[in-house]
Amino acid sequence: MDVPWYSYISDDLEKVEKLMMDTLRSSNQELTEICRYVIGSNGKRIRPSICLLSHYACGGKDHKKVIDVAAAIEMIHSATLIHDDINDRGELRRGAKAAYKKYSIGKSIVAGDFMFALGYRLIGSASTEVVDYIVDASAAMGAGEFDQKEFEHNIEVSEEDYMKIIEGKTARLIECGAKIGAFLSGADGETINAVGEFALQTGIAFQIVDDVLDVVGDEKTTGKRTGSDIMEGKPTLPTIYAMQDPVHGNAIREVFRKKEPEWSEVLDAIALIKKTDAVSRCLAKSKKIAENSKGSLSILEDSPCKRSMIGLSDYIVNRNR
């Protein structure tokens, strides 16, 4: 693209930011502070972006409603991150202390619940159909979290297991944003499903790259401690592929199966993963998934926003944060 993928929605994304900050107000000053701390921590805004782009690429013109929903989706996503960090005992989120580390577990749980509630209220102002989309995605996220827990530190985890986990935990909410954006444009069911499939596959590619960055990323750039997934026993594709390696697989499995590995062991495992073909296989897979997903957009007429959706897909698989 000749211009950045987000250029056509930059003004709307600013409105999304303002709406989130304005919405997340409470009579309790500290509750407001926690919510704004989480929202203001430099997220990628993939979910509201796909919602906005899908709406306009499908011919939508209801700026206010789609901005409301885009903000709500990001608020709900951010609420899940608060709870995920508590569940996973994560130290950092986007380069800053996880909310529960800064404000306490109890207060952070309440803040997450508060964000969920206000997010659903924004969505409820759209239509019951929109609510159904977000409820389905939220249910999938919950199921994905349980699926992940089942395979933590489990050396028998397969690529198929991993794909099921990330579809629920990550991709379904991205799919939801695209479908809602298309629905609000008045698009027919075939078009809604097509842009939803594009977003679902884009979300899968997104998470694969995220997991690769846990191995090869720069902590100052990613905002996350490299090796956190291994430490927490999260089943990720780089680890799954690396555990299959005939030379280094056994040593990597020994670290992954430990409930509380030493940090030195995690660093050793990361070094071994880098010696396998796991990272290159993951990146190739993410790019193939993203490239194939673009075919779903053939149902749309060419437009700046359709090209921006393609640009977003390219950004996702080539990013370093």
Side-chain angles (χ1 to χ4, degrees):
M1 295 181 65
D2 294 330
V3 295
W5 66 264
Y6 52 82
S7 62
Y8 296 98
I9 56 168
S10 57
D11 289 346
D12 281 352
L13 285 174
E14 288 182 9
K15 291 174 183 176
V16 166
E17 295 294 324
K18 184 177 186 304
L19 179 58
M20 289 193 294
M21 289 296 184
D22 290 345
T23 301
L24 292 171
R25 293 178 184 270
S26 167
S27 57
N28 184 289
Q29 184 176 350
E30 188 174 22
L31 177 55
T32 301
E33 180 184 330
I34 297 172
C35 292
R36 291 183 171 181
Y37 175 78
V38 173
I39 286 293
S41 58
N42 196 30
K44 302 177 188 70
R45 305 302 191 237
I46 299 298
R47 292 151 190 85
S49 293
I50 199 74
C51 182
L52 293 165
L53 289 172
S54 173
H55 182 71
Y56 299 135
C58 291
K61 301 183 185 303
D62 194 337
H63 297 273
K64 182 184 185 307
K65 190 168 287 187
V66 75
I67 287 169
D68 284 353
V69 172
I73 290 171
E74 186 67 8
M75 287 162 57
I76 290 168
H77 167 61
S78 297
T80 68
L81 297 183
I82 295 177
H83 294 165
D84 280 355
D85 286 341
I86 294 169
N87 204 19
D88 299 334
R89 293 173 293 176
E91 299 282 335
L92 296 174
R93 172 64 65 178
R94 298 165 179 167
K97 277 187 179 180
Y100 82 97
K101 283 288 186 180
K102 184 175 176 67
Y103 294 100
S104 83
I105 291 177
K107 289 177 179 179
S108 296
I109 290 173
V110 172
D113 292 344
F114 181 72
M115 292 171 70
F116 270 122
L118 294 183
Y120 275 100
R121 185 166 69 183
L122 270 181
I123 282 179
S125 66
S127 71
T128 55
E129 290 92 345
V130 169
V131 173
D132 287 342
Y133 281 124
I134 196 70
V135 168
D136 286 346
S138 297
M141 288 185 344
E145 185 68 38
F146 268 79
D147 289 337
Q148 177 175 281
K149 285 294 177 186
E150 179 182 348
F151 289 104
E152 284 182 359
H153 302 286
N154 185 341
I155 62 172
E156 300 301 324
V157 62
S158 68
E159 181 175 347
E160 183 180 359
D161 298 324
Y162 169 79
M163 289 297 179
K164 180 183 177 185
I165 290 167
I166 67 171
E167 178 176 326
K169 282 201 65 178
T170 301
R172 286 291 301 278
L173 190 60
I174 295 174
E175 175 196 35
C176 169
K179 282 188 167 184
I180 290 175
F183 173 82
L184 292 176
S185 77
D188 59 29
E190 183 181 6
T191 301
I192 292 170
N193 289 334
V195 297
E197 181 62 20
F198 164 80
L200 181 73
Q201 297 305 318
T202 298
I204 289 171
F206 175 90
Q207 189 58 55
I208 293 172
V209 173
D210 247 26
D211 293 341
V212 166
L213 291 175
D214 186 69
V215 176
V216 300
D218 180 349
E219 182 178 322
K220 293 179 180 178
T221 303
T222 64
K224 176 185 174 185
R225 191 180 190 187
T226 304
S228 297
D229 290 341
I230 294 283
M231 174 64 78
E232 296 162 13
K234 288 183 180 179
T236 69
L237 196 58
T239 302
I240 291 168
Y241 283 165
M243 288 193 297
Q244 298 168 354
D245 186 78
V247 177
H248 304 294
N250 284 337
I252 295 166
R253 286 195 293 273
E254 285 305 308
V255 176
F256 183 70
R257 75 198 309 171
K258 289 188 176 184
K259 299 298 182 183
E260 294 184 1
E262 297 293 330
W263 187 247
S264 60
E265 294 176 308
V266 171
L267 294 179
D268 288 343
I270 290 292
L272 292 178
I273 291 172
K274 290 178 179 179
K275 290 183 178 181
T276 73
D277 64 354
V279 168
S280 61
R281 286 175 67 189
C282 287
L283 291 176
K285 187 173 188 69
S286 68
K287 289 179 180 179
K288 182 178 181 180
I289 290 171
E291 192 61 34
N292 290 342
S293 75
K294 296 173 186 176
S296 297
L297 298 182
S298 62
I299 198 169
L300 301 179
E301 293 182 5
D302 184 44
S303 70
C305 283
K306 176 182 174 178
R307 293 194 293 273
S308 291
M309 292 173 78
I310 293 171
L312 171 59
S313 176
D314 292 336
Y315 158 75
I316 279 172
V317 295
N318 291 295
R319 63 198 167 91
N320 63 356
R321 60 179 290 269

